Amino acid sequence: MINNPAIILVDMQNDFFTGPHKAQRIQSVIKPLQRLIAVARKNAVPVIYCIDAHYPQDVEVTQKWRGHTIKNTKGAEVISEISPDQKVDYIVEKRAYSGFYETDLDPLLQNLYDGEGAKSVVIGGVQTNIGIRHTAADAFFQGYHIIVAEDGVDALSDENHQQGLMYLEYVYNAKIMTTNNIIKEITSKNSYLAS
């Protein structure tokens, strides 16, 4: 059972879908995540967008992934297909691969559910072997139960994606589930209440 879940969407931004680091294959995550977001909102499950908001001098920009998701640019905006609902969703800006690294994500998660805190994180987005992996690593070390939306994550290649999923399951004890099965868990009676 998924207890006190929070949906974490990693790097669902224009530069990864239509910009310099786009990959056609990652388009497949949009529809499953749209369904998951809609059900989460309907069932009062928090949805958190962890987005890159780089400064031009960030190491990730200068030494590896040039010119992407620079803060306050069109490329850094969340793709229109899954835009945040400003009234109910949360946005956490990050400057590294992990949604937790030097951000307010952990305090936010701890304050959800009237201060009881989230117990499970359901992770979707891109890239399975980069942003998803590093966010899951920090979630694991913070003690969260990790669920990865199998059809709601992807990478630049199938090999990277599959290796990423295997690593997440083996190293961080992540439960790999389809979005349909996650939705069933979320909508089952009292599934979001702490046991």
Side-chain angles (χ1 to χ4, degrees):
M1 191 171 285
I2 301 175
N3 296 320
N4 286 25
I7 310 297
I8 298 177
L9 304 173
V10 179
D11 296 342
M12 294 294 292
Q13 295 164 268
N14 288 327
D15 274 351
F16 298 114
F17 285 83
T18 58
H21 298 286
K22 68 180 176 184
Q24 188 59 38
R25 60 175 285 118
I26 67 171
Q27 301 290 328
S28 66
V29 306
I30 296 172
K31 287 192 186 307
L33 291 179
Q34 286 174 324
R35 290 194 311 272
L36 181 60
I37 292 165
V39 170
R41 288 174 181 156
K42 187 175 179 182
N43 287 273
V45 171
V47 177
I48 303 167
Y49 292 77
C50 285
I51 60 169
D52 276 350
H54 288 298
Y55 296 136
Q57 68 270 24
D58 285 353
V59 170
E60 189 180 315
V61 174
T62 61
Q63 295 187 24
K64 182 63 179 172
W65 309 105
R66 299 204 180 275
H68 80 289
T69 55
I70 303 298
K71 186 175 174 74
N72 298 323
T73 65
K74 183 78 172 164
E77 292 176 8
V78 174
I79 61 171
S80 60
E81 293 90 338
I82 61 160
S83 293
D85 181 332
Q86 301 292 337
K87 294 178 185 173
V88 296
D89 297 334
Y90 301 89
I91 297 174
V92 173
E93 292 185 348
K94 63 188 183 69
R95 294 176 58 202
Y97 296 145
S98 171
F100 286 89
Y101 183 73
E102 295 184 353
T103 72
D104 293 328
L105 180 56
D106 190 49
L108 169 60
L109 290 168
Q110 290 180 30
N111 284 301
L112 296 173
Y113 295 98
D114 297 322
E116 233 179 79
K119 309 296 182 204
S120 303
V121 292
V122 177
I123 305 175
V126 295
Q127 311 283 333
T128 314
N129 60 325
I130 304 174
I132 306 302
R133 175 173 167 167
H134 288 276
T135 299
D138 286 339
F140 176 78
F141 292 117
Q142 296 293 337
Y144 295 101
H145 176 229
I146 302 162
I147 299 97
V148 175
E150 184 174 15
D151 52 341
V153 297
D154 211 335
L156 295 176
S157 72
D158 188 57
E159 180 182 11
N160 288 341
H161 174 60
Q162 295 302 329
Q163 286 177 347
L165 288 176
M166 286 189 292
Y167 189 93
L168 292 163
E169 188 172 37
Y170 181 71
V171 178
Y172 304 127
N173 204 30
K175 188 169 186 182
I176 312 299
M177 298 175 66
T178 64
T179 51
N180 285 341
N181 285 335
I182 294 167
I183 287 167
K184 286 177 189 172
E185 288 272 337
I186 287 173
T187 55
S188 66
K189 188 175 182 191
N190 297 326
S191 68
Y192 59 89
L193 299 176
S195 55

